[in-house]
Amino acid sequence: MFFIAVALSLVIAHRSNAQRTLTETVYGSVIFTRYGERTPLISSFDNVLTPVGARQLYSAGQQFRSRYITPLSGSTDGSVVTNSSIRGISPRTIDNTQIYAVSLVDEYVVNSAQAFLQGLYPPANVTDVNAAQSILANGSVAVNPLGGYQYAQLATASPNDPAVIWLAGNVNCPQYDVSGTNYFGSQAFTSIQQSTRAFYTGLEASILEGILPDSSVGFYNAYGIFDYANYGYNHNSSIHGSLSTADLQRLRLLADQKQFALNGDLTASGKSQGDQIRAISGRTLAGRILGLMLGNIETEGSNNKISAMFGSYEPFLAFFSLAQLSSFDPNFSGIPDYGSSMVFELFSVGDNGTSKTYPDESELKVRFLFRNGTGDGSQLVAYPLFGRGRSQTVMSLNDFFAGMKKIMIPSVGSWCYTCSSQSLFCSAYANRTGYLSGYGDDDESNSSGGGMAPAVAGVIGAVVTLAVTAIAVAAAILLGGVRFHRSSAKRRSELGGFKAGEKLASDPDLTSGARGGAGASVTDKGHERIGSWELADKKKTDEGELGNSSRSMHKDDDELSINPFDDPVKADERV
């Protein structure tokens, strides 16, 4: 009997342990991805995404699809079953209420984001009758172009958009620029500049002739030179033959060294001691990551299931330094490859993963992962943040928020203050409360906690301006005898050019030149336009482009005297 009792107890214990198997459930993921390969910055090429770069980002999208949307199976780590698919995410057709995607406005970044989203949600199968297809009355199925192409919503942030600070906090930040200038005058920079002069001079004749002036060849342009050499090594047979892999690797290491000094040096300060101005892009990114996670939490996982942001390498380097990753592994001091991603997963661990309700915040956990590039063998790897031990790659939500709040910029107003920025939007956000209210986001720019929203302030300002203007106009009419009438001058679109009112702001400007001719700028180069053609000079009369008219133009139509007993007006049908 004793042995039977022992056997039964073992069976019960085994069943109990089996029932206690824990399962991970992922609720959301915030992803920041570097754009794909583009043409080099210092060449005569327009800066565009290359086909290689498009394939890199498409591959990245596919890999995240296989992780979060259609995973093959879960993996078991001890007593925890890891199932990386995001709970409730649409498996076949894109649901734009679940996906948030935003990119810098640069063409190669936007196109990178589009390629990523194509990989994340490829063309829908014709058998899936849903948003991508529709059944017609005759029973046939209409499919989107390109084999069921799916259209993802993608927001873009221009330099004049407040949202740009979350993707590129170093852009239009004067304090960041000043700190960079200080670095170029430092002993550390001068020493490297001098010690590498012979190396850069030796490469000038082989790969840089006619690309940069002699005075610009050196460590000062370390990133631009590496960028050009790396592109040429992959696309130009002459450069590939004349540049050794050792020299290319040294160019990369020097570029890493310079860019980390400009974006990862936490000892440098701007207007306030300890503001870590060179890592400003990582600080703003940290604030946005928390905001997107809160969006998932506040909607209990309905929104922001995947939040995908696309930008450059500066936020990577800055965040690596702020989160102490560069101290953990020196490789985090280098520029990430094209298509690299850093990921922040929000998940919980529970019994069998059967719970249908969103967990309490105390049960939520965060994991950081990084994938360098999209090449064969590259994969997402979990790393510990904020100086934690090697095995502590999983953090509670509270610990994660506590670490991020120490490094983040919580609001646009705070960024404007820290940067001393003169961006157009900064006046509206100067006293705005940070959007992470309730999570300790008060700082010098919003410590009052009661700032007025920009939209409300704008409406009030507009109303006050109109009221003051109306009073001034009324006073002028009553006291000064001012009266208004139409000008006899020809009406013109404020945008100018031949298209008049139909002209778009993006159209080439064709307004007349000094001799009556019209010049046009039609070739884009970054944000500049280079003139490439002219229209022939054309003599114009005072009456405008239509030439002389027999009709008197000394009065407007509404000022002509009218006799009701005269003959009816006859239409002038001449052309």
Side-chain angles (χ1 to χ4, degrees):
M1 293 293 295
F2 173 77
F3 293 104
I4 294 176
V6 171
L8 287 174
S9 65
L10 291 175
V11 171
I12 293 172
H14 176 74
R15 289 181 177 178
S16 176
N17 289 334
Q19 292 174 354
R20 289 288 300 170
T21 299
L22 303 177
T23 301
E24 284 188 4
T25 303
V26 180
Y27 301 97
S29 180
V30 181
I31 307 167
F32 186 84
T33 299
R34 189 188 176 195
Y35 52 77
E37 185 199 62
R38 47 142 178 79
T39 50
L41 298 175
I42 65 172
S43 71
S44 59
F45 299 116
D46 290 333
N47 297 135
V48 298
L49 185 71
T50 68
V52 172
R55 294 181 69 88
Q56 289 169 338
L57 269 291
Y58 182 80
S59 174
Q62 285 181 314
Q63 289 158 3
F64 280 108
R65 176 174 177 80
S66 66
R67 180 176 182 86
Y68 292 134
I69 301 174
T70 58
L72 296 177
S73 62
S75 61
T76 302
D77 181 13
S79 60
V80 178
V81 177
T82 300
N83 183 7
S84 60
S85 62
I86 295 178
R87 190 186 73 161
I89 196 165
S90 178
R92 295 183 179 86
T93 57
I94 190 168
D95 181 348
N96 282 301
T97 65
Q98 299 179 347
I99 308 297
Y100 170 79
V102 62
S103 159
L104 293 176
V105 75
D106 305 85
E107 178 183 354
Y108 52 89
V109 186
V110 174
N111 291 346
S112 294
Q114 291 172 333
F116 178 96
L117 294 170
Q118 288 172 6
L120 188 67
Y121 276 99
N125 191 295
V126 71
T127 60
D128 299 323
V129 181
N130 43 42
Q133 292 88 24
S134 60
I135 298 179
L136 303 183
N138 61 7
S140 62
V141 178
V143 183
N144 280 355
L146 303 176
Y149 185 91
Q150 302 201 60
Y151 301 93
Q153 291 182 355
L154 174 64
T156 58
S158 72
N160 292 324
D161 187 336
V164 74
I165 76 161
W166 310 121
L167 303 178
N170 55 304
V171 173
N172 290 335
C173 181
Q175 290 292 335
Y176 170 85
D177 296 335
V178 169
S179 185
T181 301
N182 292 339
Y183 169 70
F184 293 130
S186 68
Q187 180 60 40
F189 170 80
T190 302
S191 177
I192 301 173
Q193 174 89 335
Q194 293 176 348
S195 65
T196 58
R197 179 169 294 148
F199 170 67
Y200 281 106
T201 301
L203 295 176
E204 187 173 357
S206 59
I207 65 171
L208 298 174
E209 186 174 3
I211 301 301
L212 286 174
D214 294 348
S215 59
S216 297
V217 176
F219 182 64
Y220 179 84
N221 274 322
Y223 176 72
I225 293 172
F226 164 71
D227 181 48
Y228 176 80
N230 188 51
Y231 178 87
Y233 189 83
N234 293 324
H235 293 269
N236 186 305
S237 59
S238 176
I239 293 178
H240 185 89
S242 60
L243 183 65
S244 68
T245 56
D247 285 344
L248 181 63
Q249 180 63 15
R250 188 179 182 188
L251 286 173
R252 180 186 184 110
L253 292 175
L254 289 169
D256 290 345
Q257 189 172 2
K258 180 203 168 189
Q259 296 311 119
F260 189 79
L262 292 176
N263 297 280
D265 185 355
L266 303 184
T267 64
S269 299
K271 68 187 299 182
S272 302
Q273 187 64 33
D275 62 11
Q276 301 171 324
I277 190 63
R278 292 188 191 172
I280 188 71
S281 60
R283 298 188 65 198
T284 55
L285 179 64
R288 187 55 174 159
I289 290 166
L290 289 196
L292 293 171
M293 279 195 175
L294 284 174
N296 183 279
I297 295 169
E298 290 170 356
T299 62
E300 297 188 343
S302 296
N303 296 343
N304 297 354
K305 290 183 182 293
I306 292 180
S307 299
M309 297 179 283
F310 302 88
S312 188
Y313 61 84
E314 291 90 348
F316 281 92
L317 296 177
F319 184 82
F320 291 162
S321 183
L322 290 164
Q324 302 177 43
L325 288 164
S326 53
S327 300
F328 174 80
D329 186 337
N331 287 320
F332 282 106
S333 299
I335 299 170
D337 291 341
Y338 290 125
S340 296
S341 296
M342 52 182 172
V343 183
F344 303 82
E345 285 183 353
L346 183 65
F347 67 100
S348 69
V349 179
D351 292 341
N352 297 329
T354 57
S355 176
K356 300 298 183 182
T357 61
Y358 197 86
D360 186 78
E361 289 183 18
S362 62
E363 300 174 17
L364 290 172
K365 302 180 184 300
V366 177
R367 175 169 43 223
F368 169 81
L369 306 104
F370 174 68
R371 183 172 186 263
N372 190 33
T374 61
D376 295 338
S378 61
Q379 55 185 300
L380 282 172
V381 178
Y383 293 95
L385 298 177
F386 310 122
R388 298 164 72 90
R390 183 175 295 273
S391 62
Q392 296 177 297
T393 57
V394 174
M395 306 175 64
S396 70
L397 180 67
N398 289 336
D399 287 346
F400 177 72
F401 269 38
M404 294 288 272
K405 285 194 299 184
K406 292 178 182 178
I407 66 174
M408 73 179 186
I409 292 284
S411 66
V412 176
S414 179
W415 176 86
C416 292
Y417 173 84
T418 302
C419 287
S420 300
S421 179
Q422 299 300 312
S423 294
L424 294 175
F425 53 79
C426 277
S427 59
Y429 282 87
N431 296 314
R432 184 183 182 188
T433 300
Y435 68 92
L436 294 177
S437 178
Y439 284 82
D441 59 329
D442 291 340
D443 57 24
E444 62 273 356
S445 70
N446 54 35
S447 57
S448 63
M452 185 180 297
V456 176
V459 172
I460 293 175
V463 171
V464 171
T465 301
L466 289 174
V468 172
T469 302
I471 293 173
V473 171
I477 293 174
L478 294 175
L479 303 179
V482 177
R483 66 185 289 262
F484 296 95
H485 60 84
R486 294 183 181 180
S487 172
S488 60
K490 179 183 176 183
R491 298 171 186 169
R492 300 180 59 185
S493 165
E494 64 181 14
L495 290 174
F498 295 122
K499 289 190 177 182
E502 296 180 6
K503 183 180 187 299
L504 301 177
S506 59
D507 287 331
D509 194 358
L510 301 179
T511 50
S512 299
R515 296 183 300 161
S521 300
V522 297
T523 304
D524 283 321
K525 178 64 177 175
H527 297 293
E528 300 178 353
R529 297 174 82 76
I530 303 169
S532 61
W533 59 275
E534 293 183 353
L535 297 180
D537 292 347
K538 179 180 179 180
K539 184 178 180 180
K540 300 184 184 293
T541 63
D542 293 338
E543 287 75 30
E545 297 175 359
L546 295 180
N548 293 324
S549 171
S550 61
R551 183 177 179 181
S552 173
M553 300 294 292
H554 72 281
K555 288 185 179 182
D556 280 330
D557 293 342
D558 55 358
E559 293 183 291
L560 297 175
S561 58
I562 299 176
N563 185 347
F565 300 103
D566 281 347
D567 294 334
V569 176
K570 296 181 179 180
D572 189 346
E573 297 180 348
R574 290 173 298 170
V575 177

